[in-house]
Amino acid sequence: MSKPQLTLVLAAPRGFCAGVDRAIKIVEMSIEKWGAPIYVRHEIVHNKFVVDSLRAKGAVFVEELDEAPDDRPVIFSAHGVAKIVPAEAQRRNMIYVDATCPLVSKVHIEAERHHSNGLQMVMIGHAGHPETVGTMGQLPEGEVLLVETTEDVATLKPCDPARLAYITQTTLSVDDTKGIVAALKDRFPSIVGPNKEDICYATTNRQEAVKAIAPKVGAVLVIGAPNSSNSRRLVEVARSAGCDYAQLVGRANEIDWAALEGIDSVGVTAGASAPELLVDEVIDAFRDRYDVSVEMVETARENIEFKVPRVLRVAE
Ligand code: SF4
């Protein structure tokens, strides 16, 4: 029996960003340099496939520093950590390597600069996400006010409404964040913000690409993990760009084939922490069931690369 025809529309850019790539290299190079086990505080990036592969090479993932021994190197994840974490590692004389994405570190520096200029910080982010926890933890407890929605802006109680600055998590929805920033500026006209959005290039580019494919297809699959902020935003962006059926899938075996019945075009993208190998796996799963033609919609080209820390660059 002949297979039904289906067009897969691949969004580009998709998948790994420079920060994720660097964080994974840091773990691999640390294992090479110091041998296994290497401890990693929190999932190095939010992707089970990546974490499992690194675990197989000798990485041990822990949630808190006190779960790691003093005498093994520890790596801090790409999401960034509160200041108390490296301070504690130093106190314990541990070897540590910080895999915080340089674009997250840039936000940390902004927060400190505003704070030292006497401005109170407002952070637009998701409560409890490790990046938000890490960024808020650059300043003393209680110094950063968190807003998640435009409604939160109305209930903010700053010390001095005329002396405020805002920063954002790097993986937010570009469109939703614009609304929150507008509400902040409306209520606090003198609030100071970043010259350019804190939302990173990778988040912005992946959202633009999914926005371009969503109106053309009957369904969008976003390959990514449920705890990956940028992947979840891609699902929301696809829906608000006009595709009613947009779903997050960790791997090909999570695709709900029944839900795709009668659909002849499917958009595929991947969050910044999802490897291309998983995209290939999804394409192969479609090929098993359909007569597939593949199209690519490219909305930007990326050539950003971040260096690994010096301690891993110098051969010893
Ligand atoms: S999504 Fe952006 S901020 Fe996060 S690791 Fe990638 S480049 Fe860095």
Side-chain angles (χ1 to χ4, degrees):
M1 208 173 78
S2 66
K3 295 175 188 171
Q5 292 198 332
L6 181 125
T7 306
L8 281 182
V9 183
L10 305 185
R14 62 177 177 275
F16 274 10
C17 60
V20 161
D21 200 44
R22 173 179 179 267
I24 294 169
K25 269 191 204 142
I26 288 176
V27 178
E28 290 172 340
M29 291 171 82
S30 297
I31 294 171
E32 243 167 65
K33 182 179 169 90
W34 290 295
I38 290 290
Y39 284 75
V40 184
R41 185 189 176 278
H42 194 69
E43 288 190 346
I44 186 76
V45 300
H46 285 156
N47 189 277
K48 187 178 177 310
F49 180 85
V50 172
V51 167
D52 286 347
S53 333
L54 292 172
R55 194 178 278 128
K57 292 179 183 172
V60 177
F61 291 88
V62 295
E63 273 314 301
E64 295 301 337
L65 201 56
D66 58 17
E67 297 164 55
D70 293 351
D71 61 353
R72 292 305 306 162
V74 65
I75 295 163
F76 304 143
S77 78
H79 314 95
V81 286
K83 275 215 159 123
I84 49 165
V85 177
E88 174 62 6
Q90 258 165 31
R91 191 195 64 76
R92 289 171 57 191
N93 278 326
M94 296 171 88
I95 294 174
Y96 67 87
V97 186
D98 190 353
T100 302
C101 174
L103 300 181
V104 174
S105 302
K106 178 182 131 277
V107 182
H108 291 180
I109 293 164
E110 264 170 51
E112 284 196 274
R113 183 169 48 84
H114 289 310
H115 182 67
S116 60
N117 287 339
L119 300 179
Q120 190 176 14
M121 295 307 309
V122 176
M123 172 154 195
I124 306 172
H126 297 294
H129 187 279
E131 183 185 328
T132 301
V133 173
T135 302
M136 291 176 76
Q138 299 308 302
L139 300 184
E141 183 135 16
E143 290 293 325
V144 185
L145 305 170
L146 180 68
V147 297
E148 295 189 81
T149 61
T150 44
E151 289 74 36
D152 291 345
V153 175
T155 56
L156 267 188
K157 291 191 184 73
C159 301
D160 179 353
R163 297 195 57 72
L164 282 175
Y166 72 87
I167 47 173
T168 80
Q169 198 179 319
T170 57
T171 51
L172 300 178
S173 148
V174 173
D175 294 334
D176 293 354
T177 307
K178 275 190 191 139
I180 301 174
V181 169
L184 280 171
K185 287 186 173 161
D186 198 39
R187 190 165 167 220
F188 309 108
S190 57
I191 193 165
V192 176
N195 292 333
K196 209 181 146 282
E197 286 292 340
D198 290 324
I199 298 173
C200 76
Y201 80 95
T203 300
T204 309
N205 289 347
R206 281 150 193 68
Q207 288 179 18
E208 278 307 308
V210 85
K211 225 188 250 186
I213 63 167
K216 300 177 195 285
V217 291
V220 169
L221 298 181
V222 177
I223 302 165
N227 58 346
S228 159
S229 171
N230 80 84
S231 305
R232 288 174 56 180
R233 301 295 82 77
L234 289 174
V235 174
E236 293 166 5
V237 170
R239 285 184 191 147
S240 54
C243 183
D244 293 338
Y245 186 83
Q247 291 294 319
L248 191 66
V249 291
R251 298 196 65 159
N253 61 8
E254 292 176 20
I255 298 171
D256 181 354
W257 297 105
L260 298 178
E261 244 174 59
I263 288 176
D264 62 6
S265 59
V266 175
V268 175
T269 186
S273 40
E276 187 64 11
L277 204 131
L278 300 184
V279 176
D280 294 340
E281 184 187 90
V282 164
I283 296 172
D284 287 345
F286 272 96
R287 287 213 163 103
D288 287 345
R289 292 165 175 83
Y290 295 89
D291 177 8
V292 171
S293 53
V294 177
E295 281 175 21
M296 174 115 88
V297 172
E298 185 175 59
T299 52
R301 289 226 165 146
E302 294 177 347
N303 54 6
I304 294 178
E305 208 178 312
F306 296 133
K307 283 187 179 158
V308 297
R310 194 178 297 273
V311 64
L312 295 172
R313 273 185 267 151
V314 179
E316 285 186 348

